[in-house]
Amino acid sequence: MAISFESLDSDIAGRTGKLVVGKKVIRTPALLPVINPHLMLVTPKELKGMGVEALITNAYIFSQSKQYSERVKEEGLHKLLDFDGVIMTDSGSFQLSVYGQVSITNEQTLTYQRDIGSDIWVPLDIPTSPDADRETAERELGITMERLREAKELFGNDAPIAGPVQGSLYPDLRERAGKEVGDLGFSFCPIGAVVPLMESYRYRDLVDVVLAAKRTLPRSACIHLFGAGHPVMFALAAAMGCDLFDSAAYALYAKEGRYLTTHGSFKIDELADLPCSCAVCRSHTAEQLRTAKDRTRLLALHNLAVTLAEIARIRQAITDGTLWELVDERCRNHPQLLSGYRRLLQHNAELEQYDRAHKRRFFYRGDESCARTEVLRYQRQLTWLRLGENVLVACDNGIREGYDTVLYFKPPFGPYPPDLKETFPIGQSEIPEWDAAMVRQGCRGIRMLADSHKESRIRVCGLHAEWKNIFAEEIGNAAELIE
């Protein structure tokens, strides 16, 4: 039962696609809710009714359970859970990261996952702590890779086995792991040991870890971000190229009396109103939900509904080519998410190779928009323009004569030929009143144009007085400012 992935639409490094597991198909990006057979606040049958196409459970918990260990082998995982979609099973690596040891070997857990009818099996990889020293990270990565090779040797290339990518916070180790996992032929690749980063809001580190792994993984691989639970960070993760997320947050937060939204979580005891239109929130007031006997279950249902809706919103944003705007909106809900967003933008040259050339729109949302991939790509393409000897860049809409080439100026992109006025991104971009950041970025476009066309004499006119100093600073001697 082989695993394959087909990418459909793309935006930034994010993509919509189809994950095929045997004869089952999952739309991606997708959420895999975590199911603990001993603590099911929401049943798998209910999950399917909510549109869930895949879930994840822990084979190690089943193997150690007196109640379920043999029963699941007799009945099969799908029948026992009453779920006919894709079921992925973790190996015990999570318990290994928490307790330091597990009473099962790599071969044993993979054999057990096969025997209970799991659709996607996970080897017993070593989830190295983000705080591990390099020697430890290298040693544990070596063990993980040995176990991945063992999995291929024991069960063959067509076995539905995931290839986790480890390497702690060391980008070169993550790159090495990604290449080795790809070379071994894995097409389903979870990025592991990142939960501590998300729990401590280390989103800058998360960006570096994911992009390092993406750098060497095959583009045809489906990327699963292990343990990504809160919907507020899904857009950022999708922009990095993550296709799947697994989440126990819907249940864990519910047990703590927390109410999830796409802009953070709230204590239900502190809410006066319910800012949601899911079935739970339509049928309860805040007070009724707060005092309900089955409050934890109701909160779990709400949390799941919000999380699944965000996944759908991300899929639509990728289809529309508006993922940057969604990332910008979500990441302004927490300072550390904003830090992660800014870190992502620092990788814009790397992201541009994944991003699509034409989109529905470009909305300027502040300084961060100046570093978006669309701006970077446009300014690089300025070097392709054919210019005459005497060139004018007009910063107003006046008609100019007497020049071989007349261009106009739109920040943050910079100069553009009149023929491109209606094309993306010039024609489909919305900007407010000019600000210093966008003007500086646009000036860099003029400088790039000048640096790539040394044979042309470039003049800039039509400037408002308040921008002349910025133009002079950014352009220098590359172009002449005239009235």
Side-chain angles (χ1 to χ4, degrees):
M1 182 175 63
I3 302 174
S4 64
F5 178 73
E6 178 186 357
S7 177
L8 301 175
D9 294 312
S10 63
D11 194 16
I12 320 177
R15 57 211 179 158
T16 61
K18 295 190 298 183
L19 176 65
V20 181
V21 185
K23 296 182 179 180
K24 301 174 183 178
V25 180
I26 308 168
R27 295 175 302 159
T28 64
L31 174 77
L32 280 63
V34 175
I35 288 292
N36 184 329
H38 298 290
L39 302 166
M40 285 196 286
L41 286 174
V42 183
T43 67
K45 186 174 183 179
E46 290 174 310
L47 292 175
K48 184 177 180 182
M50 297 175 74
V52 170
E53 297 175 322
L55 56 82
I56 184 170
T57 190
N58 195 302
Y60 185 71
I61 290 177
F62 275 97
S63 71
Q64 302 300 302
S65 170
K66 294 180 180 179
Q67 182 179 356
Y68 291 115
S69 178
E70 293 303 318
R71 181 183 163 193
V72 69
K73 290 171 71 173
E74 295 169 1
E75 296 182 18
L77 194 57
H78 291 81
K79 182 178 179 181
L80 189 148
L81 292 179
D82 192 17
F83 185 80
D84 60 3
V86 170
I87 300 180
M88 178 178 176
T89 44
D90 197 5
S91 58
S93 292
F94 175 76
Q95 283 72 19
L96 184 62
S97 68
V98 174
Y99 304 114
Q101 62 180 9
V102 288
S103 56
I104 199 168
T105 67
N106 184 47
E107 181 178 356
Q108 287 171 339
T109 186
L110 288 168
T111 300
Y112 188 80
Q113 291 174 71
R114 179 198 64 189
D115 292 348
I116 64 178
S118 170
D119 294 304
I120 302 175
W121 322 338
V122 179
L124 191 64
D125 58 311
I126 308 296
T128 306
S129 165
D131 299 319
D133 59 50
R134 184 178 180 88
E135 182 180 355
T136 299
E138 285 194 281
R139 183 180 68 255
E140 294 184 348
L141 175 58
I143 296 171
T144 290
M145 296 313 304
E146 287 175 10
R147 292 177 178 179
L148 297 191
R149 286 188 284 272
E150 179 185 44
K152 286 287 187 179
E153 291 168 3
L154 291 173
F155 299 94
N157 288 326
D158 289 334
I161 302 175
V165 179
Q166 298 290 349
S168 188
L169 288 188
Y170 303 95
D172 62 315
L173 295 186
R174 292 281 182 172
E175 287 184 27
R176 182 202 303 176
K179 184 177 188 310
E180 291 183 11
V181 165
D183 289 346
L184 285 170
F186 288 97
S187 57
F188 185 92
C189 304
I191 298 177
V194 292
V195 171
L197 297 178
M198 291 180 281
E199 289 179 339
S200 54
Y201 299 91
R202 295 167 64 179
Y203 292 108
R204 286 177 63 87
D205 289 334
L206 179 67
V207 168
D208 289 340
V209 162
V210 173
L211 291 183
K214 281 280 293 183
R215 209 165 286 141
T216 52
L217 282 168
R219 289 202 182 188
S220 58
C222 183
I223 309 301
H224 179 165
L225 189 62
F226 259 145
H230 201 298
V232 75
M233 59 78 60
F234 285 171
L236 177 66
M240 293 186 278
C242 298
D243 306 296
L244 294 180
F245 313 95
D246 65 271
S247 174
Y250 73 97
L252 298 176
Y253 277 70
K255 291 174 184 176
E256 297 171 358
R258 292 188 176 273
Y259 178 98
L260 287 182
T261 74
T262 55
H263 49 277
S265 58
F266 300 90
K267 293 181 179 179
I268 188 61
D269 292 337
E270 298 174 355
L271 284 180
D273 289 291
L274 302 178
C276 174
S277 59
C278 74
V280 171
C281 297
R282 287 200 310 268
S283 57
H284 294 78
T285 65
E287 177 64 21
Q288 288 170 338
L289 181 54
R290 188 161 38 247
T291 58
K293 291 182 179 180
D294 56 346
R295 183 178 87 163
T296 300
R297 172 178 154 76
L298 291 172
L299 278 173
L301 287 166
H302 157 79
N303 291 345
L304 263 173
V306 169
T307 306
L308 292 169
E310 179 66 0
I311 293 292
R313 177 69 186 86
I314 291 167
R315 283 199 298 259
Q316 188 61 48
I318 294 171
T319 301
D320 290 342
T322 58
L323 185 57
W324 272 125
E325 278 99 26
L326 184 62
V327 172
D328 189 286
E329 181 178 338
R330 296 295 186 251
C331 287
R332 294 186 187 279
N333 288 304
H334 193 282
Q336 294 308 317
L337 271 171
L338 182 58
S339 181
Y341 172 35
R342 289 172 174 167
R343 185 61 173 166
L344 183 70
L345 289 165
Q346 291 175 3
H347 290 274
N348 58 4
E350 185 175 351
L351 294 169
E352 194 231 330
Q353 65 179 308
Y354 300 102
D355 203 13
R356 71 204 222 190
H358 298 283
K359 303 188 183 186
R360 174 172 293 187
R361 68 175 190 236
F362 176 101
F363 278 4
Y364 184 85
R365 297 176 61 93
D367 295 10
E368 288 78 16
S369 297
C370 295
R372 282 173 49 169
T373 46
E374 300 97 322
V375 177
L376 177 65
R377 174 180 285 123
Y378 177 82
Q379 292 186 340
R380 283 181 174 173
Q381 292 174 344
L382 287 172
T383 62
W384 303 351
L385 290 179
R386 293 184 177 180
L387 304 181
E389 183 178 346
N390 293 301
V391 179
L392 180 71
V393 177
C395 296
D396 56 20
N397 294 321
I399 297 174
R400 300 292 195 277
E401 297 180 352
Y403 292 89
D404 299 319
T405 306
V406 175
L407 307 174
Y408 292 93
F409 181 82
K410 184 172 187 177
F413 302 101
Y416 68 91
D419 291 346
L420 298 184
K421 184 178 181 180
E422 302 300 327
T423 64
F424 184 84
I426 301 300
Q428 288 73 44
S429 57
E430 292 288 341
I431 64 173
E433 295 77 14
W434 290 11
D435 63 36
M438 72 165 76
V439 170
R440 287 188 184 279
Q441 187 63 44
C443 288
R444 290 169 194 143
I446 295 177
R447 189 172 190 94
M448 289 182 71
L449 184 74
D451 290 344
S452 60
H453 295 79
K454 298 291 188 182
E455 72 284 356
S456 298
R457 181 182 180 184
I458 299 176
R459 297 179 177 90
V460 180
C461 75
L463 280 172
H464 290 290
E466 62 182 307
W467 305 121
K468 286 185 177 180
N469 287 340
I470 290 180
F471 270 75
E473 291 171 8
E474 292 295 333
I475 296 173
N477 296 324
E480 179 185 354
L481 304 183
I482 63 174
E483 296 298 328

